[in-house]
């Protein structure tokens, strides 16, 4: 999950920006119970009992930076929630001044949080095998999701990857099988097996998460042959995961990573082209209609496509056949600039 916003200074306690929670979400001044480094990231445990009671895997939290020069909140996938303890856990990557400010919080600091936001993963039918795939800190919610799936009787394989070992997350998730890629966790472990890939080979297999998927979906060994793939990570990875899974006949649910300047559906920076039940494409808000979408519903031909005034690979263009798309130019007339949404220069 990525949030867009102007720059500002890092450091210091975060203060409330008086945002109003949308239906289903709660605005809380969460107290940081602990903050610890996890590889290249920071793991924050927050006292947020009302948010924790409602949160589900796949949803996210929008957090204030506390800096008047950075009014927009930063959005993070919820790593886990414990309703009994009243705790919400976030994993923060310090990618810029705003996220660095939040990653710099310490126990006792206050972080205004708006959560839970967005649509969670829909759990596949009880007992059916599932592969979970995470890239970088996109793996944050997958152990939590795995525990919910195993409680329903599903066999769960967790695949995590990153460019290098320092940017891995979830590789130390307890598993029932243990072994070289997983930590033994007993019968109550959140997943059955953990598989690791890094592009530089510094941990696990050398390569990408998609290199490990075919064997897990082929059904050639006990516990394999999963028909569901649930993934969270960069959009390029999600596209590749969907292509591999679809070729093997598996359904995908993908927690998309789009720039979210508000997190509540107002700013329209996170819109994506999605095919509806009627077969028509509409530009929908990832923060409210998503962030989790069925992979086959996403218009990959338009996501990350080149467009003026935004970086390559960011956002999405409006497909010509989408509802409300700009009309084509008259014959011989000047070309009409195609609609561009999502991301900012």
């Amino acid at each position: 999950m990525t949030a867009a916003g102007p720059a500002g200074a890092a450091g210091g306690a975060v203060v409330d920006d008086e945002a109003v929670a949308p239906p289903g979400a709660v605005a809380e001044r969460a107290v940081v119970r602990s903050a610890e480094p996890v590889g290249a990231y920071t793991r924050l445990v927050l006292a947020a009992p009302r948010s924790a009671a409602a949160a589900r895997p796949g949803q996210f939290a929008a957090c204030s930076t506390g800096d008047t020069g950075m009014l927009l909140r930063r959005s993070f996938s919820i790593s886990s929630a414990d309703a009994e303890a009243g705790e919400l856990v976030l994993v923060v990557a310090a990618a810029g001044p705003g996220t660095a400010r939040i990653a710099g919080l310490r126990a006792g600091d206050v972080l205004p949080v708006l959560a839970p936001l967005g649509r969670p993963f829909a759990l596949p039918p009880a007992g059916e095998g599932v592969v979970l795939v995470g890239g970088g800190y996109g793996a944050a919610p997958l152990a939590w999701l795995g525990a919910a799936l195993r409680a329903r009787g599903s066999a769960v394989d967790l695949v995590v990857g990153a460019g290098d070992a320092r940017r891995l997350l979830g590789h130390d998730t307890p598993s029932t099988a243990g072994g070289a890629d997983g930590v033994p966790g007993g019968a109550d472990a959140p997943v059955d097996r953990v598989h690791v890939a890094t592009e530089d080979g510094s941990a696990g297999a050398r390569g990408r998460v998609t290199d490990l998927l075919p064997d897990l979906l082929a059904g050639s060994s006990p516990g394999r042959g999963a028909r569901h793939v649930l993934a969270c990570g960069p959009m390029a990875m999600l596209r590749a995961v969907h292509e591999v899974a679809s070729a093997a006949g598996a359904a995908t649910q993908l927690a998309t990573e789009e720039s979210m300047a508000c997190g509540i559906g107002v700013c329209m920076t996170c819109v994506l082209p999605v095919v509806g039940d009627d077969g028509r494409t509409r530009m929908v808000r990832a923060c409210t209609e998503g962030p989790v979408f069925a992979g086959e519903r996403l218009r990959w031909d338009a996501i990350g496509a080149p467009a003026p005034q935004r970086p390559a690979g960011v956002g999405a263009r409006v497909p010509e056949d989408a509802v409300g798309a700009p009309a084509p130019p008259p014959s011989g007339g000047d070309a009409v600039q195609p609609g561009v949404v999502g991301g900012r220069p």
Side-chain angles (χ1 to χ4, degrees):
M1 204 75 55
T2 305
V14 171
V15 296
D16 202 349
D17 60 5
E18 299 183 354
V20 177
V26 176
E28 293 187 270
R29 289 177 55 80
V31 176
V32 178
R33 288 185 173 168
S34 67
E36 58 183 17
V38 181
Y41 316 114
T42 300
R43 182 178 183 267
L44 296 176
V45 179
L46 309 174
R50 292 185 294 160
S51 301
R56 299 292 181 271
Q59 293 184 297
F60 66 96
C63 305
S64 172
T65 67
D67 188 318
T68 56
M70 296 183 286
L71 296 179
L72 301 176
R73 290 181 172 235
R74 271 54 176 173
S75 297
F76 307 99
S77 294
I78 297 173
S79 179
S80 65
D82 186 330
E84 185 175 344
E87 291 182 344
L88 203 67
V89 179
L90 307 178
V91 174
V92 180
T99 50
R101 188 178 178 90
I102 294 171
L105 294 175
R106 294 296 177 261
D109 288 339
V110 174
L111 177 64
V113 173
L114 196 61
L117 297 169
R119 294 180 181 271
F121 285 102
L123 300 185
E128 295 192 4
V130 181
V131 177
L132 307 180
V133 184
Y137 74 102
L142 297 184
W144 182 31
L145 176 58
L149 292 165
R150 288 204 67 237
R152 292 162 58 89
S154 292
V156 180
D157 280 273
L158 172 62
V159 182
V160 294
D164 55 60
R166 187 167 179 269
R167 288 182 286 166
L168 274 174
L169 190 67
H171 56 292
D172 56 353
T173 299
S175 61
T176 62
D181 293 334
V183 178
D188 294 329
V191 301
D192 291 288
R193 287 161 292 270
V194 178
H195 314 270
V196 178
T198 52
E199 293 181 25
D200 67 354
S202 55
R206 180 184 293 272
R208 299 180 176 180
V209 291
T210 45
D211 297 330
L212 305 181
L213 271 182
D215 284 347
L216 298 176
L217 299 174
S220 57
S221 58
R224 303 306 198 261
R227 298 272 67 85
H228 303 274
V229 177
L230 280 55
C232 184
M235 291 298 286
M237 185 207 83
L238 296 181
R239 178 174 186 165
V241 166
H242 174 68
E243 290 173 351
V244 172
S246 294
T252 60
Q253 292 184 54
L254 310 175
T256 55
E257 273 197 3
E258 281 298 295
S259 294
M260 294 181 182
C262 74
I264 57 175
V266 175
C267 69
M268 304 295 287
T269 63
C270 66
V271 290
L272 290 170
V274 178
V275 179
D277 292 338
D278 59 359
R280 304 190 68 188
T281 297
R282 293 173 175 81
M283 303 305 294
V284 305
R285 298 164 296 180
C287 65
T288 53
E289 285 86 354
V292 178
F293 294 99
E296 69 270 14
R297 295 296 185 96
L298 292 166
R299 285 287 300 270
W300 295 107
D301 60 317
I303 295 173
Q309 296 185 327
R310 64 173 169 81
V314 174
R317 66 176 175 81
V318 180
E320 294 181 359
D321 58 346
V323 174
S331 178
D334 293 334
V336 177
Q337 190 69 264
V340 178
V341 292
R344 298 189 296 174

